[in-house]
Amino acid sequence: AGELTNARIRDIAVSADSSVWFATDNRLSQYTPSLNTWRTYGTPDGLLSPQINAVAASTTGDVWAGTDAGIARIEPNGNLTSFGLPAGLNTGRVNTLDTDARGNLWVGSPSGLARFNPETFEWQVFTTSNSPLADPLVKSIHVDAQTGDVWIGTGRGINRFESAVLPARKVLTGVQVYPNPFIPGRGDTEVVFNKLADGSQVSILTVDGLLVRQIRPDQNIAQKLSWDGRNASGQMVAGGIYLFVITAPDGNHRAGKIAVIK
């Protein structure tokens, strides 16, 4: 197995610099093809356990290792920082890892699922008691970068978590507005504004230019907003033609019309 210190490979990932990372029973090994060099990381380097169960590469350039005693982040410059798992999981063992489009780390353990934000160092824990997770034992995770969906393989089935975390969008191109016309009588419940630039807001106006409703994102990475057909007072609007104006943080606009049919 070349320069590997252990031939038993538990997981493999390829990082942004094309290095190949191998999770083994006693080390994390990095092979850089362009230099034909190997580097290993173990407990003397800061890992909380020598057994590496999972490895994942982030869009930020970081590489994450999941061990029997927590996680470790290896930055592009080689710096290694370890973190214990949150108390809500009641374990240190990591079974599986994946990262989403914004660099958040998803961690599967024998007692649940967790999401770690490496910018704020905040954890969010999902267990069978606070979520629809099919089983505490999380054996595999896959994040769909195109949809933001997180697929979770457990000991008793599959879960899909709609995280809505998508790659950053800075421009108002390819925006989708649907359904249009908006017909509550046929079961329509909201008008969706999709594929927005990060942090965009939507204004609904009458054809005379009077503001009906302003819709702002709950978080600045939101790329989808919706309007439930109500005005700022919570009342359903009358049937007719309404204008929408989408405003991106950089000041760019996109405008259009929505037909509301009663």
Side-chain angles (χ1 to χ4, degrees):
E3 298 294 327
L4 287 172
T5 58
N6 190 304
R8 185 174 180 182
I9 309 301
R10 292 178 173 269
D11 201 7
I12 300 174
V14 179
S15 55
D17 65 354
S18 298
S19 290
V20 187
W21 298 76
F22 301 90
T24 78
D25 279 355
N26 64 2
R27 290 286 193 281
L28 176 68
S29 294
Q30 174 191 9
Y31 174 62
T32 305
S34 60
L35 302 175
N36 193 29
T37 58
W38 289 84
R39 180 174 179 178
T40 60
Y41 298 84
T43 50
D45 303 295
L47 289 176
L48 298 177
S49 168
Q51 180 158 313
I52 315 299
N53 301 315
V55 61
S58 171
T59 55
T60 64
D62 293 338
V63 171
W64 293 90
T67 77
D68 269 357
I71 58 174
R73 176 173 64 182
I74 301 92
E75 300 175 60
N77 61 9
N79 288 343
L80 186 150
T81 308
S82 289
F83 305 87
L85 297 190
L89 289 181
N90 299 314
T91 183
R93 179 181 171 84
V94 175
N95 291 336
T96 182
L97 297 172
D98 203 359
T99 60
D100 63 28
R102 301 304 176 94
N104 297 308
L105 181 69
W106 292 81
V107 180
S109 80
S111 56
L113 173 75
R115 178 174 60 187
F116 180 64
N117 184 327
E119 294 186 359
T120 63
F121 302 104
E122 294 177 333
W123 287 93
Q124 185 175 8
V125 175
F126 305 89
T127 66
T128 53
S129 61
N130 70 0
S131 75
L133 194 64
D135 189 66
L137 176 60
V138 178
K139 304 182 72 173
S140 58
I141 300 171
H142 174 73
V143 181
D144 187 332
Q146 298 303 312
T147 65
D149 291 347
V150 181
W151 291 91
I152 306 147
T154 77
R156 294 184 178 180
I158 300 168
N159 287 96
R160 182 182 68 174
F161 178 76
E162 298 178 4
S163 74
V165 176
L166 299 171
R169 288 176 59 90
K170 302 299 182 184
V171 294
L172 289 173
T173 57
V175 172
Q176 300 172 342
V177 182
Y178 58 88
N180 193 6
F182 174 58
I183 309 175
R186 71 178 177 191
D188 294 348
T189 58
E190 61 183 15
V191 178
V192 175
F193 302 86
N194 195 20
K195 296 190 176 181
L196 306 179
D198 290 11
S200 295
Q201 64 181 27
V202 177
S203 299
I204 308 296
L205 306 100
T206 67
V207 291
D208 297 324
L210 298 177
L211 181 65
V212 174
R213 182 87 172 269
Q214 194 162 55
I215 306 160
R216 294 184 173 89
D218 292 331
Q219 49 185 342
N220 62 8
I221 64 171
Q223 296 174 9
K224 180 188 291 186
L225 296 174
S226 62
W227 176 47
D228 59 5
R230 298 179 183 274
N231 61 24
S233 300
Q235 299 173 323
M236 289 296 296
V237 300
I241 301 297
Y242 292 83
L243 308 178
F244 68 82
V245 178
I246 303 170
T247 306
D250 63 3
N252 285 327
H253 296 77
R254 176 175 172 181
K257 297 179 180 180
I258 300 171
V260 177
I261 300 177
K262 292 294 188 72

